[in-house]
Structures are given as C-alpha cells and as structure tokens.
Amino acid sequence: MSFEANLKQANEALEKLNNQELALDESIKIYKEGLKSIKKARLALEKAKLEVEQIDE
C-alpha cells in the first residue's frame, strides 16, 4: 500500500474514532488499525528519505 493510501486509512480511522457512539471494543480495533497505517506510512516516508539522501551523495 502506498504512503498516501496508508495516510488516508489512518485519517479514516481517526474520523471513525470521533463517533461517540462506538463501543469500546470497536474503538480499540479501529485505533489499532489506525496505528498500523501510521506505522506503514512512517516506514514508507523513511524509505523515501533514505533514497533522497543517497541521491544527494
């Protein structure tokens, strides 16, 4: 999944968590999914940063 797709998925999770009618179990599930998406996006960003740094060398 691309950086943009992971970021979009994390934002969607955040929007869902703003729903005060969610059950605790569902909130935890959505929170974990959001964290996974953020981690994947962060890794993709770090990889891109390293590639740019290698180009600059």
Side-chain angles (χ1 to χ4, degrees):
M1 195 178 306
S2 70
F3 170 79
E4 291 83 3
N6 280 307
L7 196 59
K8 181 180 179 187
Q9 197 171 25
N11 282 325
E12 289 172 355
L14 181 60
E15 287 179 22
K16 290 177 185 177
L17 287 172
N18 284 325
N19 180 354
Q20 296 178 359
E21 296 178 12
L22 280 177
L24 180 60
D25 289 342
E26 184 67 16
S27 295
I28 292 170
K29 178 183 171 190
I30 293 168
Y31 180 76
K32 287 180 179 180
E33 291 172 0
L35 285 180
K36 286 180 187 176
S37 296
I38 290 169
K39 183 176 181 179
K40 289 177 184 177
R42 189 177 293 145
L43 289 173
L45 191 58
E46 186 63 31
K47 181 180 175 186
K49 179 182 172 187
L50 290 174
E51 288 179 18
V52 169
E53 288 173 353
Q54 289 176 352
I55 292 169
D56 284 345
E57 291 178 355

